[in-house]
Amino acid sequence: MKKFLFVFLLVFAQILFSQTFKGKVIGVKDGDTVVLLIDGKPQTIRLAHIDTPEKNQPFGYKAKQFVSGFCFGKEVEAVIAGKPDRNGRWIAEIFYRNQNLNKELLRKGLAWHFKRYSRNSNYAQLEIDARKKKIGLWQDKNPVEPWNWRKFKHQNAVNQQ
């Protein structure tokens, strides 16, 4: 009973605190960051639950291309939960014609489930399925997670100083 109550309260809190905005995608910064025009103002959105390869990383450009094809120039819904990240970006799931962009990136093997910030089992399963099918970046023998890629890049920059 305790577990049921906890799950109920968790779902209720997500519904209570999430907000939905409609806007036009006016920019795609990379595979997991877009810019929406909401009420005439640009707002940067970071895709929730996932992390895509960096631009200069294998499959980074493909992830950005996929996002552009999916939603650039289109009216989408952004379901935002919680407060902005440390960079001032809203964290959201993006929907176009009832399709979830965040989940589609995982299905296509163009993203990792960002377990550090997400405990969502649906996202975890989508990554597992793409890995098993060796789709997208899972074709590589040793794909490097974007958070490790960024860390390595930062360490190299520090070492070169």
Side-chain angles (χ1 to χ4, degrees):
M1 183 65 176
K2 271 186 174 180
K3 187 174 182 177
F4 172 76
L5 184 59
F6 174 75
V7 170
F8 175 77
L9 289 174
L10 184 63
V11 169
F12 181 73
Q14 285 180 326
I15 292 168
L16 184 64
F17 295 112
S18 67
Q19 296 177 311
T20 301
F21 292 92
K22 290 186 180 195
K24 183 177 183 176
V25 178
I26 59 169
V28 177
K29 293 188 174 191
D30 57 30
D32 52 33
T33 309
V34 298
V35 180
L36 292 186
L37 191 61
I38 301 172
D39 295 329
K41 297 177 188 166
Q43 179 62 53
T44 302
I45 306 288
R46 170 71 166 77
L47 300 183
H49 305 288
I50 65 167
D51 200 4
T52 62
E54 296 296 311
K55 290 178 201 172
N56 57 348
Q57 186 177 358
F59 289 91
Y61 182 70
K62 285 188 178 193
K64 182 179 178 180
Q65 273 186 313
F66 179 81
V67 172
S68 293
F70 186 93
C71 63
F72 183 75
K74 299 172 184 167
E75 290 286 326
V76 299
E77 280 189 318
V79 178
I80 299 163
K83 36 186 191 176
D85 71 4
R86 61 189 166 142
N87 298 314
R89 302 173 298 187
W90 289 350
I91 310 297
E93 288 180 288
I94 299 290
F95 293 87
Y96 176 68
R97 293 188 176 170
N98 295 321
Q99 284 192 297
N100 181 320
L101 171 60
N102 311 42
K103 289 182 177 180
E104 289 304 312
L105 281 160
L106 280 170
R107 276 189 191 95
K108 301 290 184 191
L110 297 172
W112 276 260
H113 174 220
F114 209 172
K115 295 171 191 78
R116 180 175 179 189
Y117 299 106
S118 170
R119 304 282 180 250
N120 188 301
S121 61
N122 291 325
Y123 281 88
Q125 189 60 53
L126 288 169
E127 180 184 310
I128 290 167
D129 293 345
R131 280 179 183 250
K132 284 180 184 174
K133 295 175 184 173
K134 296 192 183 302
I135 296 171
L137 61 90
W138 306 114
Q139 297 170 45
D140 283 356
K141 288 185 179 184
N142 295 307
V144 177
E145 297 89 346
W147 51 92
N148 288 332
W149 182 275
R150 290 187 292 270
K151 188 186 318 179
F152 180 72
K153 185 177 168 186
H154 175 74
Q155 287 171 344
N156 276 348
V158 170
N159 291 337
Q160 291 177 357
Q161 290 179 355

